[in-house]
């Protein structure tokens, strides 16, 4: 009887958060898991080619310039020579470290070691621990050290997000050491950390918080990492000091103060809160991170896992701006949300974090790289019939190129985890796990999501008793499991994992079947716009291949934006059914490729649906309205009026600036002093008590007028408006729109410098938008 029990199979549904084991959930090192065949292995291989296509000396050039060392190659253009010089170099260190440990490609290690040695040379030349690529970095940091601080959301002393920039180097050095084992990186990292502590030592906490108003990446997280590496308390205290209280404090009270904020500025801060909480035991800070994650995933994320419109958090009760915009969720946001989800999963052992992680991994991250040519996506619009733009190695140096380089190096990071005597299978991706410490090798063979089955094969030298936990996703139903060909009876309960406990032998096989159902997922604002998913996979329609302007971006400042023609919203396909039975209109026609057909209405032609991650080089539709017949008739008339008005406005516009929004202001070379920005009732704004200036592009010399929209009363005596240092004539100030004529002499100039100054010691009105137009 004892022997029979010893070799019996025990299937339990468990909630891992209820485990009594004191050990924390652990991830495996990247080198312990190798991807095999499939979509993720292909994405990894494509990314590898992109990484190798980049020139290390060009990426190092900003650091050599700042250290006054001879260049070996000219720096890259685009964002790498217009203010964010050096930021891609930091990301590149991380990408090299993770891709090397994931693939064991020796060229990657050679490049990583070379870059670290060059950075160490720059640090030695500087002589004080500093190394950086920020333009005029030494001058900038000296001003900060002296307490000379003037900044807003993305500009600090008229320098473009300098702490965000140097954070990329901190993170790259950390990964070079912790992930790839480069010891020299550790020394450079510690030297840079010590320099930074000395830099901010004279500053008050109030001044530190003033600095943190400007985007700064996860600067608090990397100092927490330094403490974790060295165990020196000064780094942990610095991490706490560099935590932005304007974001932390509302989260501690579970208050939602996020609407209107620049989205990717906030997520890294919260990753830092969670990291610090794990090191100092502050449960409140960890709860704050959970509150943030819950808010974003439940109220602010769309079906593919992304969030934000034009880089900012939209109101939770209104996603209409996101539906209309060509600047949908930013890939960097999802990059950081995966990092936060991973941290919380390892901390809390709660598989809900994996459900979001999986959805975002398949639908946003995987889709954000071109599967054949390479290239990374910045914005993924949900506007019907729009498209995405891809970077090219020598041309695009956007933030989403930096995070994109990393995204596809680490698909193996959470496929498996372990805790005490438990091995967990979290994701269904073809791979091989080598758990060297336990002499366990596990091979997973699957074509998921094109098949709902996954086979697990054990390779062990001798019989070994332990637990294998197989994740049961929230989208799965009626899960079936076979062990060595024998179907197992499973009690149907709500669960996170199926736990298999037995003495395992070499060659044992587990077969898992995870039936996927097609379902609708509506936008969080309660509107009638829905995405269609099969299991965790978002389906979309390929609608058109015309007018794909800039599909593979050039090196222009806004090359990452899909600026091709906006198709009328009225042209979007709509699901119409008076019986409210919209799922009946969706039919699976090819299970091996996950192709479906959709019948929009009784008279509409069939629409083919496919996995969004497989849809490239085309316009698409992933959100559909679900309407009754009468609602659809009314909708068509209203949208026709709105589309006509929008078309007329955009046709009349030569250039425009959405004031107070980071990217439009950076793109127009914003400069200013004593300036504030904010968000109120769905509109961003900027004002000044000194001056602000922008550069407008007068393409083909078409611009004849300026329209400046303000949120406050406009008094001529308190504001001066100059164009190329010449005063402009004000035509009218009706309805808080100031109209100004552009002199013919200035109209002949393509680059127009607009300067708005405040007079009489008062603030200017809050400026919402500036348009350069053909006619008033």
């Amino acid at each position: 009887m004892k022997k029979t029990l010893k070799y019996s199979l025990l299937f339990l549904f468990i909630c891992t958060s209820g485990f009594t084991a004191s050990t924390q959930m652990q991830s495996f090192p990247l080198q312990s898991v190798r991807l095999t065949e499939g979509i993720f292995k292909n994405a990894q291989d494509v990314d590898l080619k992109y990484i190798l296509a980049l020139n290390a000396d060009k990426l190092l050039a900003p650091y050599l310039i700042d250290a006054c060392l001879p260049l070996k190659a000219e720096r890259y253009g685009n964002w790498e020579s217009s203010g964010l010089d050096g930021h891609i170099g930091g990301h590149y260190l991380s990408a090299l470290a993770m891709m090397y440990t994931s693939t064991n490609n020796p060229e990657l290690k050679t490049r990583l070691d070379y870059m670290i040695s060059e950075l160490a040379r720059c640090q030695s030349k500087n002589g004080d621990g500093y190394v950086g690529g920020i333009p005029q970095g030494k001058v900038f940091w000296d001003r900060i050290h002296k307490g000379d601080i003037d900044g807003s959301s993305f500009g600090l002393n008229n320098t473009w997000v300098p702490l965000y920039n140097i954070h990329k180097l901190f993170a790259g050095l950390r990964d070079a050491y912790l992930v790839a084992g480069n010891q020299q990186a550790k020394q450079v990292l510690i030297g840079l950390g010590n320099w930074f502590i000395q830099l901010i030592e004279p500053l008050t906490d109030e001044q530190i918080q003033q600095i943190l108003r400007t985007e700064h990446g996860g600067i608090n997280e990397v100092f927490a990492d330094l403490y974790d590496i060295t165990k020196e308390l000064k780094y942990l205290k610095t991490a706490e000091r560099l935590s932005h209280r304007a974001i932390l404090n509302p989260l501690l009270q579970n208050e939602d103060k996020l609407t209107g904020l620049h989205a990717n500025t906030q997520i890294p801060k919260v990753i830092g809160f969670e990291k610090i909480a794990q090191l100092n035991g502050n449960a409140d800070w960890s709860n704050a991170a959970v509150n943030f994650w819950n808010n974003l995933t439940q109220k602010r994320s769309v079906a593919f896992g992304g969030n934000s419109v034009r880089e900012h958090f939209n109101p939770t009760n209104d996603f209409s701006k996101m539906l209309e915009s060509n600047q949908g969720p930013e890939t960097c946001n999802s990059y950081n949300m995966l990092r936060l989800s991973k941290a919380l999963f390892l901390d809390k052992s709660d598989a809900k974090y994996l459900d979001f992680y999986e959805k975002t991994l398949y639908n946003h991250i995987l889709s954000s790289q071109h599967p054949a040519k390479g290239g990374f996506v910045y914005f993924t619009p949900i506007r019907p019939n729009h498209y995405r733009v891809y970077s090219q190695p020598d041309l695009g140096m956007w933030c989403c190129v930096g995070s994109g380089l990393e995204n596809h190096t680490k698909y193996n990071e959470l496929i498996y985890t372990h805790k005490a005597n438990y091995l967990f299978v979290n994701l269904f991706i073809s791979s091989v796990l080598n758990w060297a410490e336990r002499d366990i090798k596990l091979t997973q063979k699957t074509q998921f999501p094109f098949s709902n089955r996954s086979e697990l094969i054990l390779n062990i030298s001798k019989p070994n008793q332990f637990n294998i936990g197989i994740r049961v996703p929230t989208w799965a139903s009626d899960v079936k499991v076979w062990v060595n060909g024998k179907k197992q009876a499973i009690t149907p309960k709500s669960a996170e994992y199926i736990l298999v406990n037995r003495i395992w032998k070499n060659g044992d096989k587990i077969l898992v079947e995870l039936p996927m159902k097609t379902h609708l997922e509506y936008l969080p604002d309660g509107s009638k716009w829905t995405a269609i998913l099969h299991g965790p996979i978002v389906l979309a329609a390929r609608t058109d291949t015309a007018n794909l302007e800039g599909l593979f971006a050039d090196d222009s400042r806004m090359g990452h934006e899909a600026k091709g023609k906006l198709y009328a919203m009225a042209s979007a396909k709509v699901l119409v059914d008076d019986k409210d039975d919209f799922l009946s209109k969706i039919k699976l026609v090819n299970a091996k490729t996950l192709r479906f057909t959709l019948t929009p209405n009784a008279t509409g032609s069939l629409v083919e649906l496919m996995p969004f991650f497989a849809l490239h080089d085309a316009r698409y539709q992933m959100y559909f309205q679900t309407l009754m017949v009468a609602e659809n008739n009314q909708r068509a008339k209203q949208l026709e009026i709105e589309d006509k008005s929008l078309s007329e406005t955009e046709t009349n516009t030569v250039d425009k600036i959405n004031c107070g929004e980071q990217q439009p202001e950076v793109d127009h070379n914003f400069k200013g002093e004593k300036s504030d920005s904010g968000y109120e009732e769905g509109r961003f704004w900027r004002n000044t008590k000194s001056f602000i200036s922008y550069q407008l592009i007068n393409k083909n010399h078409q611009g004849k007028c300026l329209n400046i929209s303000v949120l406050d009363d406009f008094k001529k005596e308190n504001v001066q408006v100059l164009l190329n240092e010449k005063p402009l004539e004000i035509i009218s100030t009706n309805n808080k729109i100031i109209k100004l004529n552009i002199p013919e002499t200035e109209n002949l100039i393509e680059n127009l410098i607009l300067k708005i100054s405040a007079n009489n010691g008062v603030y200017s009105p809050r400026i919402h938008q500036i348009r350069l137009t053909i006619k008033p």
Side-chain angles (χ1 to χ4, degrees), residues 78-91:
N78 198 242
W79 291 21
E80 276 289 301
S81 60
S82 58
L84 266 184
D85 310 35
H87 78 122
I88 295 293
H91 280 293

Side-chain angles (χ1 to χ4, degrees), residues 25 68 126 133 145 175 308 412 446 642 675 708 755:
M25 185 74 76
C68 299
N126 289 330
H145 182 66
D175 293 338
S308 79
N412 45 341
T446 182
E642 292 174 2
S675 176
I708 302 178
K755 183 176 181 180

Side-chain angles (χ1 to χ4, degrees), residues 363 367 380 388 538-540 610-616 620 622:
N363 298 306
S367 72
T380 298
R388 294 159 292 171
V538 172
L539 305 174
M610 61 190 295
F612 181 66
F613 67 71
L615 199 164
H616 294 271
Y620 55 82
M622 75 162 72

Side-chain angles (χ1 to χ4, degrees), residues 331-429:
T331 307
C332 278
N333 296 5
S334 290
Y335 158 86
N336 277 311
M337 281 303 293
L338 289 193
R339 295 191 70 242
L340 178 59
S341 299
K342 175 186 175 183
L344 290 173
F345 169 66
L346 295 177
D347 178 21
K348 314 297 182 185
S349 297
D350 190 335
K352 74 176 183 181
Y353 299 110
L354 290 174
D355 285 320
F356 176 80
Y357 184 101
E358 178 183 61
K359 174 194 284 192
T360 308
L361 193 73
Y362 275 93
N363 298 306
H364 199 185
I365 299 301
L366 186 60
S367 72
S368 67
Q369 178 183 244
H370 195 283
K373 301 177 183 178
F376 307 111
V377 171
Y378 197 116
F379 296 120
T380 298
I382 65 170
R383 181 186 176 98
N385 295 312
H386 211 58
Y387 64 102
R388 294 159 292 171
V389 164
Y390 306 88
S391 67
Q392 300 185 73
D394 288 335
L395 301 177
M397 296 293 153
W398 328 316
C399 56
C400 291
V401 170
S403 57
L405 290 167
E406 298 182 40
N407 277 331
H408 313 281
T409 66
K410 52 178 181 172
Y411 284 125
N412 45 341
E413 68 176 0
L414 274 188
I415 300 175
Y416 312 100
T417 53
H418 62 98
K419 181 174 183 178
N421 197 37
Y422 298 85
L423 170 61
F424 296 100
V425 180
N426 301 314
L427 299 171
F428 306 103
I429 297 174

Side-chain angles (χ1 to χ4, degrees), residues 138-181:
K138 294 183 178 67
V139 174
F140 168 80
W141 294 118
D142 185 58
R143 286 184 64 186
I144 296 298
H145 182 66
K146 293 176 179 176
D148 181 3
I149 301 164
D150 182 13
S152 58
S153 59
F154 67 90
L156 184 58
N157 292 352
N158 279 320
T159 302
W160 187 10
V161 293
L163 268 72
Y164 168 94
N165 190 339
I166 203 167
H167 163 255
K168 306 310 164 199
L169 178 59
F170 270 107
L173 292 168
R174 172 201 63 198
D175 293 338
Y177 168 61
L178 289 179
V179 177

Side-chain angles (χ1 to χ4, degrees), residues 176-246:
Y177 168 61
L178 289 179
V179 177
N182 185 297
Q183 294 296 319
Q184 191 175 29
K186 177 182 178 182
Q187 298 310 313
V188 177
L189 174 63
I190 291 173
L192 185 62
N194 290 339
W195 162 82
F196 194 88
I197 290 175
Q198 291 176 357
L199 176 84
I200 64 172
E201 195 274 333
L203 304 182
T204 65
D205 288 342
E206 183 180 359
Q207 287 175 311
I208 293 291
Q209 293 302 309
Q210 186 179 356
I211 289 172
L212 296 178
R213 292 175 57 202
T214 304
E215 185 177 9
H216 52 269
I219 196 72
N220 58 346
E221 181 201 6
V222 290
F223 274 92
D225 291 326
L226 267 167
Y227 169 71
D228 206 13
I229 291 168
T230 66
K231 308 308 178 187
E232 292 188 42
L233 192 58
K234 65 180 181 180
Y235 298 116
L236 184 57
K237 290 186 177 297
T238 301
E240 293 168 350
R241 198 177 184 208
L242 290 171
S243 292
H244 194 197
R245 302 298 166 142

